[in-house]
Amino acid sequence: MHSDSDNKLKEIVSRRIEFFKKKPEAAIYRPKVSSRHIRGLYTETEVREHTVKADYGEAAGGTNLAPNPIELLLAAFAACIESAFYEFALHEGLSADSVSVDVEGSLDLRGLFMVDEDVPPGFSDIKYVINIKTSEDRDKVQRLAEKVIAHCPVVDSLVRRISISGTININNQEG
């Protein structure tokens, strides 16, 4: 038996799918965040009405007040898969007692610290394990999980070459 919030989510997903089929231009989503340095390696990023905090562990020179940015990327990866699986399982009439995702990445810090220009600063690989507890048909759940991974915007943004551009503003105040 689905809760009222599950029924509402199922209705929202169905309504959005139909709407985006009719008006593809309405499907363009442009999330925006604004981040600022607070102190040391600690930053705060405003995301809608939320504050996302980032810091590094003490061994890396931080104060360990929050996950570091690369850990937040892994958290976004896991959260995207979990929430997308849950919403599309509801949409397809499948139930899951629980969904969890473990994600681990490997990176060579020589890239970040500019020690070796041949070493990329980002992940060389990311591995995940999706844990789904359900009484549903294994093959249906497997197919849905594979479909969710293939359509997760965080995963897609990591595996597909995307355009990144920007501007650097320097306010040079001479004393």
Side-chain angles (χ1 to χ4, degrees):
M1 181 113 166
H2 293 297
S3 69
D4 287 342
S5 63
D6 284 352
N7 290 334
K8 183 178 178 183
L9 177 59
K10 184 175 181 176
E11 181 183 316
I12 288 169
V13 171
S14 295
R15 211 172 40 230
R16 282 182 159 188
I17 289 171
E18 289 309 310
F19 182 66
F20 295 152
K21 284 179 181 177
K22 293 176 187 167
K23 288 193 82 170
E25 68 278 8
I28 303 304
Y29 173 52
R30 290 187 174 88
K32 184 178 178 184
V33 304
S34 184
S35 189
R36 64 189 181 101
H37 172 257
I38 303 298
R39 67 183 168 280
L41 298 178
Y42 179 76
T43 65
E44 291 183 353
T45 305
E46 299 305 316
V47 183
R48 290 181 286 127
E49 64 275 8
H50 308 285
T51 301
V52 177
K53 300 172 182 179
D55 196 1
Y56 288 80
E58 290 177 8
T63 52
N64 201 31
L65 294 175
N68 70 41
I70 204 78
E71 292 165 335
L72 290 170
L73 181 76
L74 295 179
F77 184 110
C80 188
I81 291 172
E82 288 169 352
S83 57
F85 180 85
Y86 186 80
E87 74 179 326
F88 288 105
L90 273 177
H91 177 70
E92 295 190 13
L94 299 173
S95 64
D97 298 322
S98 68
V99 180
S100 65
V101 178
D102 297 313
V103 182
E104 180 178 5
S106 294
L107 68 150
D108 185 331
L109 294 176
R110 292 177 299 165
L112 167 66
F113 285 96
M114 300 175 243
V115 170
D116 185 338
E117 288 300 318
D118 293 330
V119 175
F123 285 118
S124 59
D125 67 271
I126 296 175
K127 296 176 182 163
Y128 63 86
V129 176
I130 303 174
N131 303 293
I132 304 165
K133 185 177 177 186
T134 183
S135 58
E136 300 286 349
D137 178 75
R138 283 181 79 83
D139 290 338
K140 280 184 182 176
V141 173
Q142 178 76 29
R143 280 192 303 275
L144 177 60
E146 289 170 357
K147 199 170 162 181
V148 162
I149 293 161
H151 290 87
C152 169
V154 174
V155 173
D156 181 66
S157 296
L158 290 170
V159 298
R160 186 174 47 85
R161 184 177 295 271
I162 62 170
S163 171
I164 297 177
S165 60
T167 303
I168 299 171
N169 295 317
I170 299 172
N171 185 356
N172 192 349
Q173 306 213 356
E174 294 184 24

